[in-house]
Structure formats: C-alpha cells, structure tokens
Amino acid sequence: MEPQPSPRPRGRGIYLLPNLFTTGGMFAGFYAIIAATQGRFDEACMAIFIAAILDGVDGRVARLTNTQSEFGVQYDSLADLISFGLAPALVMYHWALESTKLDGVIPGKIGWVGAFLYAACAALRLARFNSQVGQVDKRWFIGLASPAAAGLVASFVWTCHSFDLDGEQLRYGALAVTTIAGLLMVSRLRYVSFKGSGPRNDRVPFLAILVVVAVLVAIAIDPPRVLLAIFAPYALSGPVQAIWRRMRRTPPPEAPAPPPKNES
C-alpha cells in the first residue's frame, strides 16, 4: 500500500488571529486612559466596552481555529489588566476621585488610593483566575469577573456624565462604587458565568436569542443607562445569592467531578 500523504501543517501565522483581537482590546483600554486624561469620558467608557467585546471574541476565535496557546493565555491576562484594571480605575479617577483633593490632603490621598485599590484587585483577580483554570466549575466565576467590574464602573461614569452630573459632586459615591467593584473581584462570591458545564449546554433556547436581540436593541437606543441596568444587578447578584443561601442554609453548588483519567 502506498503511504498516505501527511496533512499539511497549519501555518504559524494563524496564531496571530486571536492575538490581534487581544491587541485590539488592549488598544481600546489604552485609548480609554488617554481619552479620560483629556476629559472625553463618553469616548473613554465606550472604549472600555469595545475592549470587553474584543476580549470575548479572542478566546472564541482561538477555539474555533484551534490556535490556543499558553502565550495567548498570558497575553490575554496582561491585556485585561490594562483594559479592565488600569483603564476603569483611571477613568474614574479623572472623572471624580481626583476631586477629593478639594477636601484636604488626606481625602485627596483617599481618592487615588481608591483607584489603586481597584487596579490591584483586578490584578489579583486575574492572577487567581489563571491559577485556578481547570479546577473550578465553569458555570461559576469565583469573584466578580474583571470585565463585569469594568462594565459597572464605566457604565456608572457614562450614565452620570450623560445626565450632566459632575464627578466632583459625586466623588464619594464614585469612591464607594470603585471600592465595592474592586472588593467584589477578590471576594469568594459566586457569579453565574453563562458558559454552561459541557457541550450540551452550548445550545440555547430560542427565547434566549430573542432576549439577547432585545437587549442589543435597548443598548443601541440608550447605551449608558441600559448597560448600567445590566451590570449593577449582576454585581449585586453575588452578595444576594450568598445571603439567600445563608438564610436557607444551603451549600453552594459543587463542581461536577472530573472524568477519570485513563491509565496507560
């Protein structure tokens, strides 16, 4: 029998495809920082949400093209630290937290410390997530995911700015939002990941598609308020579920047992 020709090896260039989306997300986060320093807070918040969209695309592109790599995982985490750690913290700082210096030296330090706390919590959240990959139930996030925390901060700034509310007047409310979002990221609270736990859960009902379409239409009509109405309840869902389980005295859902490894 004639030997079968071996399949042509996949070109290395395709590995650039998911990393290009990651780079685009990092660029959007960097642009949000630049826009915030120039007082263009609407553009800064939009850039953070664009980064979140690209962050959701790069992983799916890598899986569809079978181009997952350890380099891509680490690069994605570093890009997330800029887009969902530094960018939201600096946007909030330039919009409101910087104004705490008007109340004196000590309150002025509290403002930038609050922004740094958020950035540090985002870094800790990403490091913990990377160290627990493959060890936790994919149906849940342990702690608020950094894109969701960034969405909460950005939608808060965007909504207030759209109402012509001055960040100087809301500086302590902004400090509370920033601190709570940061602490939720490093908490042990469980959040629904919407990923499912297996291939069977990749299929979604037709009603879910209609809901997604309705949400997209609502976001197109009024982006800042609709996004805040999505991210604020999601951020609160973790504490609410924890309190409900404590009242009911029910343990948190356990991860499904991993399949047994075949011994060679």
Side-chain angles (χ1 to χ4, degrees), residues 165-195:
L165 297 176
D166 191 1
E168 179 180 333
Q169 300 174 355
L170 300 175
R171 53 187 179 272
Y172 289 107
L175 178 62
V177 172
T178 306
T179 303
I180 292 172
L183 295 178
L184 287 176
M185 280 191 286
V186 296
S187 69
R188 301 295 300 177
L189 299 174
R190 290 175 178 259
Y191 287 88
V192 180
S193 66
F194 302 105
K195 292 182 179 181

Side-chain angles (χ1 to χ4, degrees), residues 6-31:
S6 58
R8 187 175 181 179
R10 186 188 298 271
R12 291 183 178 272
I14 197 170
Y15 286 89
L16 293 176
L17 185 59
N19 293 328
L20 284 177
F21 285 98
T22 303
T23 304
M26 183 169 57
F27 174 80
F30 183 80
Y31 178 83

